[in-house]
Amino acid sequence: MVFGVDEAGKGPAIGPMIAAAVRVADRGHLPDGMADSKDLAPDRREDLAARLRSADAIAVGVCAITPDRIDDPETDMNGLAVAAHTGAIEAALADADHGSGADVDPPAGVCDACDTDADRFARRVTDACSHPIDVAAEHGADADDPLVGAASIVAKVERDARMADVAETYADAGYGDPGSGYPSDPKTRAFLEAHVDETGRLPDCARRSWATCRDVLADAQQSGLADFAGE
């Protein structure tokens, strides 16, 4: 059995980081069209993710790292990426209903490296996993390896679904569309500003430790002080 692992949502200011692992006995079981999720249209990603999840010969594992966990001062993003990849691998290995075929001992796989030192990232994932595994990590593996590309598709579709849930949660509150959650997205910043202006705090879906979120809160507080001084 071999597996590929990738994550989505490492950099946004809103929502979770999602890692996915895709495990197969034979790479030939992968549907055609596996690629880096960033190179695929949303409809195509959703179709491929559904096919991966429904295939009898393919096991899929997903792990979500919540904003609260990301904001924990005792953590760092590299460590959280290790935890996310490890959680996704263990979920895929535990999926007894899929991935038919004899397991290799230990299962082998490739992670898209989330550390500047790819070998160090591979060692950390190997050490963190409760199951004996043989892991390699490569930069750009989501583009170079169809199995890691498959994992990137599942992770991106799952992350988009979680963001759709966020949008639905706040749909009637008047804060607007949270958008993609990335700091460069004007919708995301406008959503954060509207929530802070209305409530005086960041929404629960925000990564409060992110610079974007801190800046929005600080700007609102500064504006409030200026208004108070002008009275």
Side-chain angles (χ1 to χ4, degrees):
M1 305 295 287
V2 291
F3 58 84
V5 197
D6 197 13
E7 92 294 325
K10 188 177 179 182
I14 291 176
M17 175 170 64
I18 304 290
V22 174
R23 179 174 65 111
V24 293
D26 182 340
R27 285 171 174 267
H29 292 149
L30 287 174
D32 292 337
M34 294 299 116
D36 182 353
S37 62
K38 295 186 290 294
D39 296 333
L40 299 171
D43 288 350
R44 179 63 171 156
R45 286 196 299 261
E46 291 175 9
D47 175 64
L48 289 171
R51 292 171 64 188
L52 288 164
R53 285 183 174 274
S54 64
D56 290 338
I58 298 173
V60 172
V62 170
C63 179
I65 304 295
T66 63
D68 283 348
R69 189 171 175 187
I70 291 169
D71 287 334
D72 186 337
E74 300 298 318
T75 64
D76 63 85
M77 280 309 295
N78 279 348
L80 290 171
V82 169
H85 280 233
T86 302
I89 292 168
E90 293 188 334
L93 294 177
D95 187 354
D97 295 330
H98 295 84
S100 58
D103 277 338
V104 205
D105 191 16
V110 178
C111 294
D112 189 60
C114 293
D115 188 331
T116 55
D117 187 331
D119 290 339
R120 175 173 60 197
F121 187 75
R123 288 194 302 271
R124 292 184 69 186
V125 172
T126 299
D127 291 344
C129 193
S130 60
H131 190 291
I133 55 173
D134 182 6
V135 174
E138 301 171 8
H139 296 116
D142 49 356
D144 296 337
D145 186 330
L147 189 54
V148 181
S152 79
I153 290 168
V154 173
K156 173 60 174 169
V157 169
E158 180 68 20
R159 157 84 188 170
D160 287 349
R162 303 283 182 115
M163 286 304 297
D165 289 343
V166 170
E168 184 176 354
T169 297
Y170 293 94
D172 298 328
Y175 308 130
D177 182 353
S180 65
Y182 281 85
S184 59
D185 188 340
K187 289 182 179 180
T188 297
R189 176 126 192 159
F191 167 81
L192 291 169
E193 290 173 346
H195 191 282
V196 170
D197 286 346
E198 178 68 23
T199 67
R201 63 179 183 84
L202 291 162
D204 292 340
C205 59
R207 302 180 185 181
R208 294 174 172 82
S209 58
W210 250 231
T212 299
C213 296
R214 295 199 310 268
D215 290 347
V216 166
L217 194 59
D219 288 348
Q221 291 169 343
Q222 188 64 36
S223 176
L225 288 173
D227 291 343
F228 177 77
E231 290 181 356

